Amino acid sequence: MKETAMTRFLDATAVAALVRSIGVQTALRQLAEHVRQDFLRWHRFEKSARLASHSPVGVIELMPVTDGEQYAFKYVNGHPRNAAHAMPTVMAFGALAEVSTGFPLLLADMTLATALRTAATSAVAARAMAPHGTTAMALIGNGAQAEFQVLAFHAMLGVHEIRAYDVDPAATAKLQRNLAGLTDTGELRILPMASIDEALAGAHIVSTVTADKTRATILRDEQIAPGVHINAVGGDCPGKTELDPALLRRARVAVEYEPQSRLEGEIQQMPADFPVIELWRILNGEVPGRTAVEDVTLFDSVGFALEDYSTLRWLHAAACARHAGRYVELVATPDDTRDLYGWLMRQDEAEGAPVTRRAAA
């Protein structure tokens, strides 16, 4: 019998089990290293801004990228009102394929993985831009991304004091509850704050992770002291921002992929010639992340397809190493590739017959 090419499939439960088996902080460190490695190969990738379909209630996006050897894409939505329907604000899945044949190697849920890669990329940028020795971070917005941001900055930068603020105190209580294992041992302190100003006091890293699709001003220029690094995660589509334009003008701003960030990031508020630095240039040492102790630095993060490529590459390697997920016959591979109709009509005969599994490399 002909061997059937099979695709590794990781559903949401399988991805969660894989991450738990590795450990969340270890997974974040591994994923961050994949992201860093791929940013250092920046010129190897064929890149484009994501294809976005906007509606009054949210956005649905496709995010493709390739390095000529493997091709990846992610489908992802952003619907801030989904909580009212007991659904996540962000849901995603992705695929990784080999360019030489076009065969899909991996199909995976990326709802959890997107949260991991967002936090991992934030920490990669902060290691290159934030002031050294910082141990306190203000976390503005304590929703679905919050725990991952905390764990990434704790694991990769040694942050151990989180000054947490959310307009909904229940979100901060959820953050405290979920990370009680670290706070109970004293590895981490999560301090609920009554206001943004209170959260900012004494913090030299600030992460803004809000969800409303609106031009908000979460941080004003006068609130930010010299030397602070801002990790702006919430502004990630047209018409959705978190920062005062005056603060942007004062900051040293890094972005992932400038053509996309001009449309979707905090810098959508700024003129076309507003100066920014693409993150890969900082990571490879071409330009410094900060030039002086008093610099205000800003990572204007919107999420870029290269990070999803890194995530799928990491997921595939981790799943293969731990035999996670299962194989599915995602695409038809008839014995005679010119006789798809004949394959269709013979499927009744094939039902119940054993299939020889061959996972594409």
Short mmCIF file of all heavy atoms in Angstrom, two decimals, residues 83-148:
data_model
loop_
_atom_site.label_atom_id
_atom_site.label_comp_id
_atom_site.label_asym_id
_atom_site.label_seq_id
_atom_site.Cartn_x
_atom_site.Cartn_y
_atom_site.Cartn_z
N ALA A 83 -15.96 39.04 24.84
CA ALA A 83 -16.16 38.62 26.23
C ALA A 83 -17.65 38.57 26.58
O ALA A 83 -18.08 37.73 27.38
CB ALA A 83 -15.43 39.56 27.17
N ALA A 84 -18.43 39.45 25.97
CA ALA A 84 -19.87 39.45 26.23
C ALA A 84 -20.55 38.20 25.70
O ALA A 84 -21.66 37.85 26.11
CB ALA A 84 -20.52 40.68 25.59
N HIS A 85 -19.86 37.49 24.77
CA HIS A 85 -20.39 36.25 24.21
C HIS A 85 -19.65 35.03 24.76
O HIS A 85 -19.77 33.93 24.20
CB HIS A 85 -20.26 36.27 22.68
CG HIS A 85 -20.86 37.49 22.04
ND1 HIS A 85 -22.20 37.72 22.01
CD2 HIS A 85 -20.27 38.54 21.43
CE1 HIS A 85 -22.44 38.87 21.39
NE2 HIS A 85 -21.27 39.39 21.03
N ALA A 86 -18.90 35.22 25.83
CA ALA A 86 -18.11 34.14 26.45
C ALA A 86 -17.14 33.52 25.44
O ALA A 86 -16.91 32.31 25.44
CB ALA A 86 -19.02 33.07 27.05
N MET A 87 -16.54 34.36 24.60
CA MET A 87 -15.56 33.92 23.62
C MET A 87 -14.29 34.75 23.77
O MET A 87 -14.35 35.92 24.19
CB MET A 87 -16.10 34.05 22.19
CG MET A 87 -17.30 33.18 21.90
SD MET A 87 -17.87 33.37 20.18
CE MET A 87 -16.50 32.58 19.32
N PRO A 88 -13.12 34.19 23.43
CA PRO A 88 -11.88 34.96 23.55
C PRO A 88 -11.87 36.15 22.61
O PRO A 88 -12.44 36.11 21.51
CB PRO A 88 -10.80 33.94 23.16
CG PRO A 88 -11.43 32.60 23.33
CD PRO A 88 -12.88 32.79 23.04
N THR A 89 -11.18 37.21 23.03
CA THR A 89 -10.99 38.38 22.16
C THR A 89 -10.16 38.01 20.94
O THR A 89 -10.42 38.47 19.82
CB THR A 89 -10.27 39.49 22.95
OG1 THR A 89 -11.11 39.88 24.03
CG2 THR A 89 -9.97 40.68 22.07
N VAL A 90 -9.15 37.16 21.14
CA VAL A 90 -8.25 36.73 20.07
C VAL A 90 -8.32 35.22 19.94
O VAL A 90 -8.20 34.49 20.92
CB VAL A 90 -6.80 37.16 20.35
CG1 VAL A 90 -5.86 36.62 19.28
CG2 VAL A 90 -6.70 38.68 20.43
N MET A 91 -8.52 34.72 18.70
CA MET A 91 -8.48 33.29 18.39
C MET A 91 -7.64 33.12 17.13
O MET A 91 -7.69 33.97 16.23
CB MET A 91 -9.88 32.72 18.19
CG MET A 91 -10.76 32.78 19.44
SD MET A 91 -12.49 32.29 19.15
CE MET A 91 -13.13 33.79 18.38
N ALA A 92 -6.90 32.03 17.05
CA ALA A 92 -5.99 31.90 15.92
C ALA A 92 -5.67 30.43 15.65
O ALA A 92 -5.74 29.59 16.54
CB ALA A 92 -4.69 32.65 16.20
N PHE A 93 -5.31 30.17 14.39
CA PHE A 93 -4.70 28.89 14.03
C PHE A 93 -3.68 29.17 12.93
O PHE A 93 -3.71 30.23 12.29
CB PHE A 93 -5.73 27.85 13.58
CG PHE A 93 -6.42 28.17 12.28
CD1 PHE A 93 -5.87 27.79 11.06
CD2 PHE A 93 -7.64 28.84 12.27
CE1 PHE A 93 -6.51 28.08 9.86
CE2 PHE A 93 -8.28 29.14 11.08
CZ PHE A 93 -7.72 28.76 9.87
N GLY A 94 -2.76 28.23 12.74
CA GLY A 94 -1.72 28.45 11.75
C GLY A 94 -1.23 27.17 11.13
O GLY A 94 -1.54 26.07 11.60
N ALA A 95 -0.47 27.31 10.06
CA ALA A 95 0.09 26.17 9.35
C ALA A 95 1.54 26.45 8.97
O ALA A 95 1.92 27.60 8.71
CB ALA A 95 -0.72 25.87 8.09
N LEU A 96 2.33 25.38 8.97
CA LEU A 96 3.73 25.42 8.55
C LEU A 96 3.90 24.40 7.45
O LEU A 96 3.51 23.24 7.61
CB LEU A 96 4.65 25.08 9.73
CG LEU A 96 6.15 25.11 9.47
CD1 LEU A 96 6.63 26.55 9.27
CD2 LEU A 96 6.91 24.46 10.63
N ALA A 97 4.47 24.82 6.31
CA ALA A 97 4.62 23.94 5.16
C ALA A 97 6.06 23.97 4.65
O ALA A 97 6.79 24.94 4.88
CB ALA A 97 3.67 24.36 4.04
N GLU A 98 6.45 22.89 3.95
CA GLU A 98 7.75 22.87 3.32
C GLU A 98 7.63 23.48 1.92
O GLU A 98 6.70 23.15 1.16
CB GLU A 98 8.32 21.45 3.26
CG GLU A 98 7.44 20.43 2.57
CD GLU A 98 8.00 19.02 2.66
OE1 GLU A 98 8.86 18.78 3.51
OE2 GLU A 98 7.55 18.17 1.85
N VAL A 99 8.53 24.40 1.60
CA VAL A 99 8.47 25.10 0.32
C VAL A 99 8.77 24.16 -0.84
O VAL A 99 8.21 24.28 -1.93
CB VAL A 99 9.42 26.31 0.33
CG1 VAL A 99 9.58 26.90 -1.07
CG2 VAL A 99 8.91 27.36 1.31
N SER A 100 9.64 23.18 -0.65
CA SER A 100 10.08 22.31 -1.74
C SER A 100 8.94 21.51 -2.37
O SER A 100 8.97 21.21 -3.57
CB SER A 100 11.17 21.35 -1.25
OG SER A 100 10.68 20.54 -0.19
N THR A 101 7.93 21.17 -1.57
CA THR A 101 6.80 20.41 -2.10
C THR A 101 5.46 21.11 -1.87
O THR A 101 4.46 20.76 -2.50
CB THR A 101 6.70 19.02 -1.43
OG1 THR A 101 6.41 19.19 -0.03
CG2 THR A 101 8.00 18.25 -1.60
N GLY A 102 5.43 22.06 -0.96
CA GLY A 102 4.16 22.70 -0.59
C GLY A 102 3.37 21.90 0.42
O GLY A 102 2.26 22.29 0.79
N PHE A 103 3.92 20.78 0.91
CA PHE A 103 3.16 19.93 1.81
C PHE A 103 3.06 20.56 3.20
O PHE A 103 4.06 21.03 3.75
CB PHE A 103 3.81 18.55 1.94
CG PHE A 103 2.98 17.59 2.74
CD1 PHE A 103 1.92 16.93 2.16
CD2 PHE A 103 3.24 17.38 4.09
CE1 PHE A 103 1.12 16.07 2.91
CE2 PHE A 103 2.45 16.53 4.85
CZ PHE A 103 1.39 15.87 4.24
N PRO A 104 1.85 20.57 3.80
CA PRO A 104 1.68 21.13 5.15
C PRO A 104 2.22 20.19 6.22
O PRO A 104 1.72 19.08 6.40
CB PRO A 104 0.17 21.30 5.27
CG PRO A 104 -0.42 20.29 4.34
CD PRO A 104 0.56 20.15 3.21
N LEU A 105 3.25 20.62 6.93
CA LEU A 105 3.86 19.82 7.98
C LEU A 105 3.06 19.87 9.27
O LEU A 105 2.99 18.89 10.01
CB LEU A 105 5.27 20.33 8.27
CG LEU A 105 6.25 20.39 7.10
CD1 LEU A 105 7.52 21.09 7.54
CD2 LEU A 105 6.56 18.98 6.60
N LEU A 106 2.48 21.03 9.56
CA LEU A 106 1.84 21.26 10.85
C LEU A 106 0.60 22.13 10.67
O LEU A 106 0.63 23.13 9.94
CB LEU A 106 2.81 21.97 11.81
CG LEU A 106 2.26 22.37 13.18
CD1 LEU A 106 1.98 21.14 14.04
CD2 LEU A 106 3.23 23.31 13.90
N LEU A 107 -0.47 21.74 11.33
CA LEU A 107 -1.66 22.57 11.48
C LEU A 107 -1.91 22.66 12.98
O LEU A 107 -2.00 21.63 13.65
CB LEU A 107 -2.86 21.95 10.77
CG LEU A 107 -4.19 22.69 10.91
CD1 LEU A 107 -4.13 24.05 10.22
CD2 LEU A 107 -5.34 21.85 10.34
N ALA A 108 -2.01 23.88 13.50
CA ALA A 108 -2.08 24.02 14.96
C ALA A 108 -2.96 25.18 15.38
O ALA A 108 -3.00 26.23 14.71
CB ALA A 108 -0.67 24.24 15.53
N ASP A 109 -3.65 24.99 16.50
CA ASP A 109 -4.27 26.12 17.18
C ASP A 109 -3.17 27.08 17.61
O ASP A 109 -2.10 26.66 18.06
CB ASP A 109 -5.04 25.65 18.42
CG ASP A 109 -5.48 26.82 19.28
OD1 ASP A 109 -6.44 27.50 18.89
OD2 ASP A 109 -4.85 27.06 20.33
N MET A 110 -3.43 28.38 17.47
CA MET A 110 -2.44 29.37 17.88
C MET A 110 -3.03 30.42 18.81
O MET A 110 -2.44 31.50 18.98
CB MET A 110 -1.79 30.02 16.66
CG MET A 110 -0.89 29.09 15.88
SD MET A 110 0.05 29.92 14.59
CE MET A 110 1.21 30.88 15.55
N THR A 111 -4.16 30.15 19.40
CA THR A 111 -4.74 31.10 20.35
C THR A 111 -3.82 31.25 21.55
O THR A 111 -3.42 32.37 21.92
CB THR A 111 -6.14 30.65 20.78
OG1 THR A 111 -6.94 30.41 19.62
CG2 THR A 111 -6.80 31.69 21.65
N LEU A 112 -3.45 30.15 22.16
CA LEU A 112 -2.49 30.17 23.26
C LEU A 112 -1.11 30.58 22.77
O LEU A 112 -0.42 31.40 23.40
CB LEU A 112 -2.43 28.80 23.92
CG LEU A 112 -1.32 28.55 24.94
CD1 LEU A 112 -1.44 29.53 26.11
CD2 LEU A 112 -1.34 27.12 25.43
N ALA A 113 -0.69 30.04 21.64
CA ALA A 113 0.65 30.31 21.13
C ALA A 113 0.83 31.78 20.78
O ALA A 113 1.93 32.33 20.90
CB ALA A 113 0.93 29.43 19.91
N THR A 114 -0.24 32.46 20.33
CA THR A 114 -0.14 33.89 20.04
C THR A 114 0.13 34.68 21.31
O THR A 114 0.94 35.62 21.31
CB THR A 114 -1.42 34.39 19.35
OG1 THR A 114 -1.53 33.77 18.06
CG2 THR A 114 -1.41 35.90 19.17
N ALA A 115 -0.51 34.30 22.39
CA ALA A 115 -0.23 34.97 23.68
C ALA A 115 1.21 34.74 24.10
O ALA A 115 1.90 35.67 24.57
CB ALA A 115 -1.20 34.46 24.74
N LEU A 116 1.70 33.52 23.92
CA LEU A 116 3.08 33.21 24.26
C LEU A 116 4.06 34.01 23.40
O LEU A 116 5.01 34.60 23.92
CB LEU A 116 3.34 31.71 24.08
CG LEU A 116 2.70 30.77 25.09
CD1 LEU A 116 2.75 29.34 24.57
CD2 LEU A 116 3.39 30.86 26.44
N ARG A 117 3.82 34.06 22.09
CA ARG A 117 4.77 34.74 21.21
C ARG A 117 4.74 36.25 21.40
O ARG A 117 5.77 36.91 21.27
CB ARG A 117 4.58 34.33 19.76
CG ARG A 117 3.40 34.94 19.02
CD ARG A 117 3.84 36.21 18.27
NE ARG A 117 2.93 36.55 17.22
CZ ARG A 117 2.09 37.58 17.23
NH1 ARG A 117 2.01 38.37 18.29
NH2 ARG A 117 1.31 37.83 16.20
N THR A 118 3.58 36.80 21.74
CA THR A 118 3.51 38.24 22.00
C THR A 118 4.36 38.59 23.22
O THR A 118 5.14 39.55 23.21
CB THR A 118 2.06 38.68 22.22
OG1 THR A 118 1.30 38.37 21.04
CG2 THR A 118 1.97 40.18 22.51
N ALA A 119 4.22 37.80 24.27
CA ALA A 119 5.00 38.03 25.49
C ALA A 119 6.48 37.78 25.25
O ALA A 119 7.34 38.54 25.72
CB ALA A 119 4.47 37.16 26.62
N ALA A 120 6.80 36.71 24.53
CA ALA A 120 8.20 36.39 24.26
C ALA A 120 8.87 37.50 23.45
O ALA A 120 10.01 37.91 23.74
CB ALA A 120 8.30 35.06 23.52
N THR A 121 8.18 38.01 22.44
CA THR A 121 8.74 39.09 21.62
C THR A 121 8.90 40.37 22.44
O THR A 121 9.88 41.09 22.29
CB THR A 121 7.86 39.34 20.39
OG1 THR A 121 7.69 38.12 19.66
CG2 THR A 121 8.48 40.38 19.47
N SER A 122 7.92 40.64 23.30
CA SER A 122 8.04 41.80 24.20
C SER A 122 9.31 41.72 25.03
O SER A 122 10.04 42.71 25.19
CB SER A 122 6.83 41.86 25.14
OG SER A 122 5.64 42.14 24.44
N ALA A 123 9.59 40.54 25.56
CA ALA A 123 10.77 40.37 26.41
C ALA A 123 12.06 40.45 25.60
O ALA A 123 13.07 40.98 26.08
CB ALA A 123 10.68 39.05 27.16
N VAL A 124 12.05 39.92 24.37
CA VAL A 124 13.22 40.03 23.50
C VAL A 124 13.56 41.50 23.26
O VAL A 124 14.72 41.92 23.35
CB VAL A 124 12.97 39.29 22.16
CG1 VAL A 124 14.03 39.65 21.13
CG2 VAL A 124 12.96 37.78 22.38
N ALA A 125 12.53 42.29 22.94
CA ALA A 125 12.76 43.72 22.71
C ALA A 125 13.21 44.43 23.97
O ALA A 125 14.13 45.26 23.94
CB ALA A 125 11.48 44.36 22.17
N ALA A 126 12.60 44.09 25.11
CA ALA A 126 12.95 44.76 26.36
C ALA A 126 14.39 44.47 26.78
O ALA A 126 15.07 45.35 27.33
CB ALA A 126 11.98 44.35 27.46
N ARG A 127 14.85 43.24 26.53
CA ARG A 127 16.24 42.93 26.89
C ARG A 127 17.21 43.83 26.13
O ARG A 127 18.31 44.12 26.62
CB ARG A 127 16.54 41.46 26.59
CG ARG A 127 16.04 40.52 27.65
CD ARG A 127 16.73 39.18 27.62
NE ARG A 127 16.62 38.53 26.33
CZ ARG A 127 16.96 37.27 26.09
NH1 ARG A 127 17.44 36.52 27.07
NH2 ARG A 127 16.83 36.73 24.89
N ALA A 128 16.82 44.25 24.93
CA ALA A 128 17.70 45.09 24.11
C ALA A 128 17.49 46.58 24.33
O ALA A 128 18.33 47.38 23.92
CB ALA A 128 17.45 44.76 22.63
N MET A 129 16.37 46.96 24.99
CA MET A 129 16.02 48.38 25.07
C MET A 129 15.81 48.90 26.48
O MET A 129 16.01 50.09 26.73
CB MET A 129 14.74 48.64 24.24
CG MET A 129 14.85 48.29 22.78
SD MET A 129 13.31 48.63 21.87
CE MET A 129 13.35 50.43 21.82
N ALA A 130 15.38 48.06 27.40
CA ALA A 130 15.04 48.52 28.75
C ALA A 130 16.30 48.81 29.56
O ALA A 130 17.37 48.27 29.28
CB ALA A 130 14.19 47.46 29.45
N PRO A 131 16.20 49.66 30.56
CA PRO A 131 17.35 49.91 31.44
C PRO A 131 17.76 48.65 32.17
O PRO A 131 16.91 47.86 32.59
CB PRO A 131 16.85 50.99 32.40
CG PRO A 131 15.35 50.93 32.33
CD PRO A 131 15.02 50.46 30.95
N HIS A 132 19.06 48.43 32.31
CA HIS A 132 19.57 47.22 32.96
C HIS A 132 19.23 47.22 34.45
O HIS A 132 19.22 48.25 35.11
CB HIS A 132 21.08 47.11 32.77
CG HIS A 132 21.49 46.93 31.35
ND1 HIS A 132 21.06 45.87 30.57
CD2 HIS A 132 22.29 47.67 30.55
CE1 HIS A 132 21.58 45.96 29.37
NE2 HIS A 132 22.32 47.05 29.31
N GLY A 133 18.95 46.03 34.96
CA GLY A 133 18.72 45.87 36.38
C GLY A 133 17.34 46.23 36.85
O GLY A 133 17.09 46.26 38.06
N THR A 134 16.42 46.50 35.92
CA THR A 134 15.07 46.86 36.31
C THR A 134 14.35 45.65 36.91
O THR A 134 14.35 44.56 36.33
CB THR A 134 14.28 47.36 35.09
OG1 THR A 134 14.91 48.55 34.61
CG2 THR A 134 12.84 47.68 35.46
N THR A 135 13.73 45.83 38.05
CA THR A 135 13.02 44.73 38.70
C THR A 135 11.53 44.98 38.87
O THR A 135 10.80 44.09 39.29
CB THR A 135 13.63 44.44 40.09
OG1 THR A 135 13.52 45.62 40.90
CG2 THR A 135 15.09 44.03 39.96
N ALA A 136 11.05 46.20 38.56
CA ALA A 136 9.64 46.54 38.74
C ALA A 136 9.01 46.92 37.41
O ALA A 136 9.59 47.70 36.65
CB ALA A 136 9.47 47.67 39.74
N MET A 137 7.84 46.39 37.14
CA MET A 137 7.12 46.67 35.90
C MET A 137 5.68 47.08 36.22
O MET A 137 5.01 46.43 37.03
CB MET A 137 7.11 45.44 34.98
CG MET A 137 6.34 45.66 33.67
SD MET A 137 6.56 44.31 32.47
CE MET A 137 5.40 43.10 33.11
N ALA A 138 5.21 48.13 35.57
CA ALA A 138 3.79 48.49 35.62
C ALA A 138 3.08 47.75 34.50
O ALA A 138 3.53 47.77 33.35
CB ALA A 138 3.62 49.99 35.45
N LEU A 139 1.99 47.08 34.85
CA LEU A 139 1.22 46.33 33.87
C LEU A 139 -0.17 46.96 33.79
O LEU A 139 -0.99 46.82 34.70
CB LEU A 139 1.12 44.86 34.28
CG LEU A 139 0.39 43.93 33.33
CD1 LEU A 139 1.08 43.87 31.97
CD2 LEU A 139 0.28 42.53 33.92
N ILE A 140 -0.42 47.65 32.68
CA ILE A 140 -1.68 48.37 32.49
C ILE A 140 -2.57 47.53 31.57
O ILE A 140 -2.31 47.42 30.38
CB ILE A 140 -1.46 49.77 31.89
CG1 ILE A 140 -0.32 50.49 32.59
CG2 ILE A 140 -2.75 50.56 31.91
CD1 ILE A 140 -0.50 50.69 34.07
N GLY A 141 -3.59 46.91 32.14
CA GLY A 141 -4.42 45.95 31.42
C GLY A 141 -4.06 44.55 31.89
O GLY A 141 -2.94 44.08 31.66
N ASN A 142 -4.98 43.89 32.57
CA ASN A 142 -4.69 42.60 33.21
C ASN A 142 -5.56 41.48 32.66
O ASN A 142 -5.98 40.58 33.38
CB ASN A 142 -4.87 42.72 34.73
CG ASN A 142 -3.96 43.75 35.37
OD1 ASN A 142 -4.24 44.19 36.47
ND2 ASN A 142 -2.91 44.18 34.70
N GLY A 143 -5.83 41.53 31.36
CA GLY A 143 -6.67 40.53 30.71
C GLY A 143 -5.92 39.29 30.29
O GLY A 143 -4.98 38.84 30.96
N ALA A 144 -6.29 38.72 29.13
CA ALA A 144 -5.80 37.40 28.72
C ALA A 144 -4.30 37.37 28.48
O ALA A 144 -3.66 36.32 28.61
CB ALA A 144 -6.53 36.96 27.45
N GLN A 145 -3.67 38.48 28.14
CA GLN A 145 -2.23 38.51 27.87
C GLN A 145 -1.39 38.71 29.12
O GLN A 145 -0.19 38.45 29.13
CB GLN A 145 -1.95 39.64 26.87
CG GLN A 145 -0.50 39.92 26.54
CD GLN A 145 0.21 38.82 25.78
OE1 GLN A 145 1.42 38.64 25.89
NE2 GLN A 145 -0.54 38.05 25.02
N ALA A 146 -2.02 39.11 30.22
CA ALA A 146 -1.28 39.61 31.38
C ALA A 146 -0.32 38.59 31.97
O ALA A 146 0.86 38.89 32.23
CB ALA A 146 -2.26 40.10 32.45
N GLU A 147 -0.79 37.39 32.25
CA GLU A 147 0.07 36.37 32.89
C GLU A 147 1.29 36.08 32.04
O GLU A 147 2.41 35.91 32.58
CB GLU A 147 -0.71 35.08 33.14
CG GLU A 147 -1.77 35.17 34.24
CD GLU A 147 -3.09 35.72 33.75
OE1 GLU A 147 -3.19 36.11 32.57
OE2 GLU A 147 -4.05 35.76 34.55
N PHE A 148 1.12 36.03 30.74
CA PHE A 148 2.24 35.70 29.85
C PHE A 148 3.27 36.81 29.84
O PHE A 148 4.49 36.56 29.83
CB PHE A 148 1.71 35.40 28.45
CG PHE A 148 0.70 34.28 28.43
CD1 PHE A 148 -0.66 34.54 28.40
CD2 PHE A 148 1.12 32.95 28.47
CE1 PHE A 148 -1.58 33.51 28.40
CE2 PHE A 148 0.20 31.92 28.48
CZ PHE A 148 -1.15 32.20 28.45
#
